[in-house]
């Protein structure tokens, strides 16, 4: 009867598996996800910056820990915290990310054709009302260019290539960027026509940003005018403010390019100097001569004139 040996085979399989792990080389993509987590401070923020879901970030970080045989993060119920080894690796790896982005920009800058995908980041109201409706003109003039238009409140990082071009409401101070003021828009108070017709000024109520936006000029302007009168809704979304004002709940401080174009809103003039915001077009200096980037920059500038 043939004797069956199980133990050594199991040990041999486990040994081969451990050897395979030790011989596996580090994946740059795993490191990239870990460095995004270290930089952004949370799985969700890292996932947004990379354009993936948080599960992918967690999986990539775990894979990097396996290859390096190091615990890089402490997994807590509501957060990931870097270990001391994690902090050390993040500090060493950070320059690698900047170098990788510089290589990507150099490759993009060397392209002479007017084509490829260009990513634009802009505040949602500017993206939705001033840029998106005019994209057909860019398409007709430069059919080789495709656009990724991201309407977002946060400031996209040009240095980390989250966008090729960005519209910002204040002049950026980050190194390596070129900024040009391309526009200016004013705010005014808007409400529904019926509300303005039936509500005396002393009884006005208001729609405002939440406390996260207390420092922006239009919020300070609105609060000065409102005084002790009631703020019935606070929201950090401008479209929500406009939608609420249309229902007759109160007055909202809206960009004039939004309010004047909406027949369901009417402007309430209060006199004095109106508050406004500058619009800055931002790109990385490495891409300033890239034909496709220049073409899209020219298009964006035309959207605000």
């Amino acid at each position: 009867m043939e004797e069956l040996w199980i133990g050594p085979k199991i040990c041999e399989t486990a040994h081969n598996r451990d050897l395979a792990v030790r011989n596996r080389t580090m994946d740059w993509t795993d490191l990239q996800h870990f460095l995004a987590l270290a930089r952004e401070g949370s799985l969700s923020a890292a996932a947004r910056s990379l354009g993936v879901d948080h599960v992918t970030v967690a999986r990539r970080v775990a894979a990097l820990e396996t290859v390096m045989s190091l615990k890089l993060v402490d997994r807590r119920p509501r957060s990931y915290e870097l270990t001391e080894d994690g902090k050390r690796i993040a500090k060493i790896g950070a320059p690698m990310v900047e170098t990788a982005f510089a290589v990507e920009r150099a490759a993009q800058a060397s392209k002479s054709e007017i084509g490829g995908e260009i990513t634009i980041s802009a505040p949602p109201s500017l993206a939705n009302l001033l840029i998106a409706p005019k994209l057909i003109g860019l398409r007709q003039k430069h059919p080789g260019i495709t656009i990724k238009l991201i309407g977002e409140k946060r400031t996209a990082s040009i240095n980390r290539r989250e966008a090729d071009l960005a519209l910002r409401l204040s002049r950026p101070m980050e190194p390596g960027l070129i900024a040009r003021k391309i526009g200016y828009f004013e705010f005014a108070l808007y409400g529904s026509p019926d509300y303005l017709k039936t509500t005396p000024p002393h009884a006005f109520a208001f729609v405002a940003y939440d406390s996260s936006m207390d420092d922006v000029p239009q919020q300070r302007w609105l609060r000065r005018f409102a005084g002790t009168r009631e703020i019935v809704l606070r929201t950090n979304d401008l479209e929500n403010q406009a939608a609420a004002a249309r229902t007759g709940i109160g007055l909202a401080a809206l960009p004039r390019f939004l309010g004047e174009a909406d027949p369901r809103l009417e402007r309430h003039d209060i006199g004095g100097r109106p508050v406004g915001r500058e619009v800055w077009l931002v790109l990385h200096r490495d891409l300033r001569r890239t034909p496709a980037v220049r073409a899209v920059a020219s298009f964006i500038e035309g959207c605000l004139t």
Side-chain angles (χ1 to χ4, degrees):
M1 180 176 179
E2 185 178 356
E3 192 170 1
L4 182 62
W5 291 91
I6 298 178
K9 291 184 179 180
I10 294 176
C11 292
E12 182 180 351
T13 301
H15 171 75
N16 290 340
R17 184 170 59 248
D18 292 343
L19 185 63
V21 169
R22 288 197 298 271
N23 290 337
R24 181 179 160 194
T25 58
M26 185 180 67
D27 188 329
W28 158 246
T29 305
D30 293 343
L31 178 60
Q32 182 185 26
H33 283 68
F34 167 70
L35 294 175
L37 173 63
R39 181 179 65 246
E40 301 294 338
S42 71
L43 286 177
S44 58
R48 284 194 300 270
S49 72
L50 294 169
V52 298
D53 58 57
H54 71 280
V55 175
T56 299
V57 177
R59 177 173 55 81
R60 289 286 189 175
V61 171
L64 182 64
E65 289 180 313
T66 299
V67 170
M68 300 184 75
S69 297
L70 285 176
K71 185 178 182 182
L72 302 175
V73 296
D74 284 324
R75 293 161 176 81
R76 301 178 181 179
R78 294 179 179 272
S79 66
Y80 274 31
E81 300 290 337
L82 296 188
T83 63
E84 289 304 313
D85 283 329
K87 293 175 183 177
R88 179 169 55 87
I89 297 301
K91 183 176 180 180
I92 295 171
M96 298 173 61
V97 176
E98 300 306 318
T99 300
F101 288 134
V103 170
E104 290 180 5
R105 288 194 299 270
Q108 186 177 6
S110 67
K111 297 177 181 177
S112 58
E113 72 276 9
I114 303 182
E117 182 179 83
I118 301 296
T119 300
I120 305 169
S121 172
S125 58
L126 299 183
N128 297 339
L129 298 175
L130 299 184
I131 297 177
K134 299 179 181 180
L135 282 172
I136 183 61
L138 177 66
R139 180 67 178 171
Q140 291 169 343
K141 187 174 182 180
H142 300 293
I145 294 177
T146 57
I147 294 295
K148 182 178 180 181
L149 179 60
I150 306 173
E152 54 187 352
K153 301 178 185 69
R154 75 181 188 94
T155 301
S157 173
I158 300 293
N159 285 316
R160 296 198 297 269
R161 296 218 61 214
E162 293 176 358
D164 299 301
L165 293 158
L167 288 181
R168 297 187 183 174
L169 302 184
S170 59
R171 186 171 190 170
M173 303 305 293
E174 299 100 312
L177 303 185
I178 295 174
R180 183 169 73 253
K181 188 171 75 172
I182 64 170
Y184 177 86
F185 62 91
E186 294 178 348
F187 286 80
L189 289 177
Y190 291 90
S192 73
D194 285 345
Y195 181 83
L196 289 171
K197 183 178 180 180
T198 59
T199 308
H202 74 271
F204 282 161
F206 298 89
V207 177
Y209 286 108
D210 63 22
S211 59
S212 67
M213 303 284 282
D214 275 348
D215 290 334
V216 300
Q218 63 269 31
Q219 176 85 331
R220 296 197 303 266
W221 177 72
L222 173 69
R223 293 181 65 178
R224 283 196 302 270
F225 179 75
T228 59
R229 289 173 289 188
E230 187 178 14
I231 295 177
V232 294
L233 173 65
R234 298 178 186 271
T235 171
N236 67 353
D237 186 272
L238 194 63
E239 293 297 330
N240 286 344
Q241 292 185 33
R246 293 183 195 110
T247 69
I249 196 174
L251 301 184
L254 304 174
R256 293 188 63 164
F257 66 76
L258 189 162
E260 298 298 316
D262 193 330
R264 296 165 293 177
L265 292 171
E266 183 177 309
R267 185 173 75 249
H268 174 69
D269 289 316
I270 63 174
R273 184 178 180 180
V275 67
R277 301 296 301 270
E278 297 175 339
V279 183
W280 293 80
L281 178 63
V282 187
L283 69 156
H284 199 282
R285 65 186 177 193
D286 292 349
L287 301 180
R288 65 188 183 279
R289 294 189 177 90
T290 306
V293 172
R294 289 170 62 91
V296 177
S298 177
F299 158 75
I300 294 173
E301 190 165 358
C303 290
L304 273 80
T305 57

